[in-house]
Amino acid sequence: FDFLLKEPQFEPFAEAAVSAERVLHISPALCATACRTALEFAVKWLYSIDSSLTKPYADKLVTLISTEDFQDLIPSGMAAKINYLRKIGNNATHNPKSVNKDQAVLALENLHSFLDFLACCYADSYAETSFDKGIINKVVEPAEVPLAQPEVEEVDFQTLLDENFPKRPGMTAKRLERLKRGYEVKPMDMTEAQTRKAYIDVMLQDAGWERGVNWYDEYPVDNMPNKSGYGAADYVLFADDGMPLAVIEAKRTSVNVEKGRQQAVLYANFLEQKFGKRPIIFLTNGYETRLWDDRHYPERLVSGFYSKRDLEQYFGILKDRKGLKGVQINDAISGRYYQKEAIQAVCDAIGERNRRKALLVMAT
């Protein structure tokens, strides 16, 4: 992160990023927490410097990175990196032992990617920098390791907004001009195992799942269509009563999640045969996650894994689900022919074709 120190305008977050790197050899959890802090400082600085961003109703990190304007500003592929930083930082705060060194290094790499993008857009002098794991993993002499996490001065959001307000038009123009050349987020081509340990484990921890309690890796599966007849589901999530709630099929970050669909169906078939209950399916490559209830609804993109409580509630809804075929329409409420046709069309879409939503346009 030395490239940040050369730009005085990056002072609000540069030292925080350097601090995150320094504490890696003390504690991965401290490093992950510091990465989240540096991200928050950088995001607040970005809101203060770019006129396309308006401070939302709350200044929490999750709110700032979720606005439509922020999502439009960052390049494709960056949102997953930012969400990883937020989640790994939260996990490190609540359960420090859950964060390992590989996850902390990935946090540093994702932070470097976001800050390199900021440098590309707003630095006075920009030269592309790559993340060098050789620097991170070098042998550190005991005397070089700080005894505690360095103190990083808190960023005052309102002060940043006030100080940088006059610069906003010029900095926005600079970003638009710089991005005409294009900016591509470099993908991290990790193996399937690395993907799991990094992104997916963090997502599960963030949703409240506990490994060995209600989350199991490499769950053994019989009757697979291969030479041995055996396989292993990447993840299976269970309810408190021991029934399966979800099966997760993980692919490498560079592979489209759809490639794991057929495997996931075979795992779900096995679990349904074994337990008498069919789990829902999550397909993920770490960056993108899809939910698929293949018996009821089409596959759809989701922001992350459901918690145990949400999955149990989902299955409760399915249990109480009633058919809409032959529904009786109250003529005292909707007696006109076009009203009846509209109601019947919605019932058919949801009940027969497994749609999740319908749009009715009504005159006022």
Side-chain angles (χ1 to χ4, degrees), residues 54-310:
T54 303
K55 180 183 176 182
Y57 64 93
D59 61 2
K60 292 182 179 180
L61 178 60
V62 66
T63 307
L64 296 173
I65 64 177
S66 300
T67 65
E68 187 174 347
D69 289 340
F70 183 85
Q71 292 293 319
D72 288 342
L73 188 148
I74 60 177
S76 176
M78 188 64 76
K81 294 172 180 282
I82 291 172
N83 275 318
Y84 177 84
L85 287 167
R86 181 182 67 82
K87 291 178 180 179
I88 193 69
N90 292 344
N91 293 345
T93 300
H94 299 300
N95 185 12
K97 292 182 179 179
S98 69
V99 180
N100 60 44
K101 184 177 178 181
D102 288 341
Q103 291 175 327
V105 171
L106 181 59
L108 288 170
E109 188 169 358
N110 284 351
L111 179 64
H112 181 278
S113 181
F114 178 59
L115 298 185
D116 178 71
F117 169 69
L118 294 190
C120 173
C121 294
Y122 306 105
D124 292 334
S125 177
Y126 171 69
E128 184 178 351
T129 62
S130 59
F131 185 78
D132 187 352
K133 287 186 178 180
I135 297 175
I136 294 292
N137 296 322
K138 73 173 184 177
V139 177
V140 179
E141 296 298 329
E144 296 180 18
V145 180
L147 297 177
Q149 182 174 358
E151 290 291 330
V152 176
E153 188 175 347
E154 181 72 29
V155 167
D156 185 282
F157 195 13
Q158 190 57 52
T159 300
L160 270 180
L161 291 169
D162 294 340
E163 288 180 352
N164 290 330
F165 184 79
K167 306 175 186 176
R168 286 163 65 86
M171 295 297 275
T172 304
K174 179 188 283 189
R175 170 176 60 83
L176 295 173
E177 182 62 30
R178 292 272 181 89
L179 293 183
K180 285 181 180 179
R181 311 169 196 169
Y183 185 90
E184 187 174 342
V185 177
K186 303 177 189 67
M188 290 173 288
D189 191 13
M190 300 185 292
T191 67
E192 191 173 326
Q194 289 171 327
T195 301
R196 285 203 301 270
K197 291 302 175 187
Y199 284 92
I200 300 173
D201 284 11
V202 167
M203 291 164 66
L204 285 169
Q205 290 164 359
D206 187 65
W209 295 96
E210 296 180 65
R211 179 183 271 112
V213 178
N214 47 35
W215 141 25
Y216 292 90
D217 302 322
E218 300 296 334
Y219 191 85
V221 174
D222 301 334
N223 302 321
M224 291 294 288
N226 53 35
K227 290 182 180 180
S228 67
Y230 297 97
D234 292 325
Y235 296 86
V236 179
L237 308 180
F238 288 89
D240 292 338
D241 61 5
M243 289 297 208
L245 293 173
V247 60
I248 300 173
E249 174 61 17
K251 289 298 178 189
R252 287 174 14 180
T253 53
S254 60
V255 176
N256 192 302
V257 295
E258 295 178 0
K259 293 200 172 184
R261 183 184 289 115
Q262 185 54 36
Q263 261 183 302
V265 169
L266 293 174
Y267 298 149
N269 291 343
F270 168 79
L271 291 166
E272 182 180 24
Q273 185 178 9
K274 180 177 180 179
F275 293 96
K277 180 178 181 178
R278 187 174 188 82
I280 65 169
I281 294 168
F282 286 102
L283 304 169
T284 185
N285 60 7
Y287 285 157
E288 181 182 291
T289 302
R290 293 180 177 272
L291 181 149
W292 187 24
D293 180 354
D294 61 333
R295 294 287 173 83
H296 298 98
Y297 297 112
E299 179 185 312
R300 67 184 187 276
L301 189 68
V302 291
S303 61
F305 300 126
Y306 285 20
S307 67
K308 179 163 65 70
R309 180 180 177 182
D310 288 339

Side-chain angles (χ1 to χ4, degrees), residues 323-329 344 347-348 352:
L324 297 175
K325 202 168 186 177
V327 66
Q328 296 297 313
I329 300 174
Q344 192 58 56
C347 290
D348 290 343
E352 300 300 316

